[in-house]
Amino acid sequence: CIISIETFNVTFDHVQSLEVDTVICEGTSVALPWGEIVSPEFNESYAYTWPSSITGCDSFLLTVQVNVLEGFSLSLPETVTLDLGDSVRLEPVIDFLLDSLQWTPPDWLSCTTCLNPWAQPLFTTDYLLSIWSLEGCLVKAPVQIVVNRDILIYFPNIFSPNTDGINDIFTAIGKRGIANVRRLRIYDRWGELVWEGNNFLPDGTIGWDGYFHGKPMPAGVFAWTCEVELIDGSIENFSGDLTLIR
């Protein structure tokens, strides 16, 4: 009986393992060491095993625990409505400690890096507030400021220039959105220009006192035209009739 004995070399690979933690902000992604990019909504573990270059068997197991920082709340009104020339203080509500912030665009804001700036836009504007938390997370919130461009200006249709302190002059009185009266002209019924004022504030202090060439005009109906400049630089024109009473 012949007994044949063969010798085999058996190699056992010990699988090594490592666990690591990483932290990301809610809504962001992270690249794992093996090249995979993940965007978990909640805390989650990911694992990858590298094979041995000698045996081809599993030899190294890496587990990555991805922890998601969440709960950063930032809110602003969806829309705010203003009349042209008015302003509003923006007051976001946050529930976390902030590191820095930025308002964009910077147009018509009192500041762009303070939490509660004053806004006085001349046109409807969409603003975006971006806040970075102490942990480095970015949180954003939009707000639209709608500008009502219906200006408010008053022209009396009757005036009595009798120096009693009531309705003694005819003028343009701007209540909202008016920067300047560029030109106000008064004409008699024959079309002759009896008074003209240029470039004055619409505050009721400058206007026609009912005199022409140093003499009081008789009672009657007069025509007027007015050109005003709005606070955004645009021009509006008005016209009408005026009754002078004595």
Side-chain angles (χ1 to χ4, degrees):
C1 176
I2 299 175
I3 299 176
S4 177
I5 300 176
E6 295 183 3
T7 303
F8 296 91
N9 292 323
V10 179
T11 302
F12 295 93
D13 277 349
H14 176 66
V15 178
Q16 296 180 329
S17 63
L18 177 66
E19 294 185 2
V20 296
D21 291 344
T22 188
V23 177
I24 65 171
C25 300
E26 185 178 15
T28 62
S29 303
V30 62
L32 301 176
W34 50 89
E36 182 182 1
I37 298 177
V38 297
S39 304
E41 295 182 3
F42 309 100
N43 297 345
E44 193 166 344
S45 293
Y46 301 87
Y48 187 83
T49 303
W50 280 269
S52 170
S53 60
I54 299 175
T55 66
C57 299
D58 293 346
S59 63
F60 183 73
L61 173 64
L62 175 62
T63 301
V64 178
Q65 173 68 35
V66 180
N67 297 312
V68 181
L69 291 176
E70 56 183 351
F72 298 102
S73 176
L74 170 61
S75 62
L76 281 165
E78 183 178 347
T79 59
V80 177
T81 301
L82 295 180
D83 292 323
L84 181 63
D86 287 348
S87 61
V88 63
R89 191 182 187 194
L90 299 176
E91 298 182 336
V93 178
I94 64 173
D95 66 353
F96 59 91
L97 297 177
L98 64 87
D99 178 67
S100 59
L101 63 90
Q102 183 71 44
W103 290 91
T104 54
D107 306 328
W108 306 298
L109 294 177
S110 60
C111 67
T112 58
T113 56
C114 55
L115 188 61
N116 303 116
W118 284 91
Q120 192 179 23
L122 301 180
F123 308 95
T124 296
T125 304
D126 293 316
Y127 290 103
L128 180 66
L129 173 59
S130 301
I131 296 183
W132 288 265
S133 71
L134 291 178
E135 297 82 4
C137 294
L138 175 60
V139 188
K140 298 181 179 181
V143 58
Q144 182 182 67
I145 299 183
V146 178
V147 178
N148 174 19
R149 295 179 57 79
D150 295 333
I151 64 173
L152 186 59
I153 188 169
Y154 171 68
F155 298 94
N157 56 10
I158 297 176
F159 87 122
S160 54
N162 54 11
T163 67
D164 65 353
I166 302 175
N167 272 349
D168 281 336
I169 63 173
F170 172 79
T171 188
I173 302 174
K175 298 293 187 178
R176 183 176 66 223
I178 309 298
N180 182 50
V181 178
R182 298 186 64 175
R183 182 176 297 107
L184 175 60
R185 289 174 172 172
I186 315 293
Y187 301 89
D188 64 18
R189 59 181 177 175
W190 296 282
E192 183 178 6
L193 179 67
V194 298
W195 186 85
E196 180 177 1
N198 297 285
N199 297 315
F200 59 90
L201 295 177
D203 56 6
T205 61
I206 296 177
W208 183 40
D209 60 1
Y211 280 72
F212 181 52
H213 292 322
K215 297 181 179 180
M217 293 291 290
V221 177
F222 298 80
W224 59 266
T225 62
C226 185
E227 181 182 284
V228 300
E229 180 181 354
L230 308 190
I231 62 174
D232 63 0
S234 61
I235 303 299
E236 295 280 350
N237 289 282
F238 301 88
S239 62
D241 295 326
L242 164 70
T243 299
L244 187 157
I245 59 177
R246 292 290 183 184

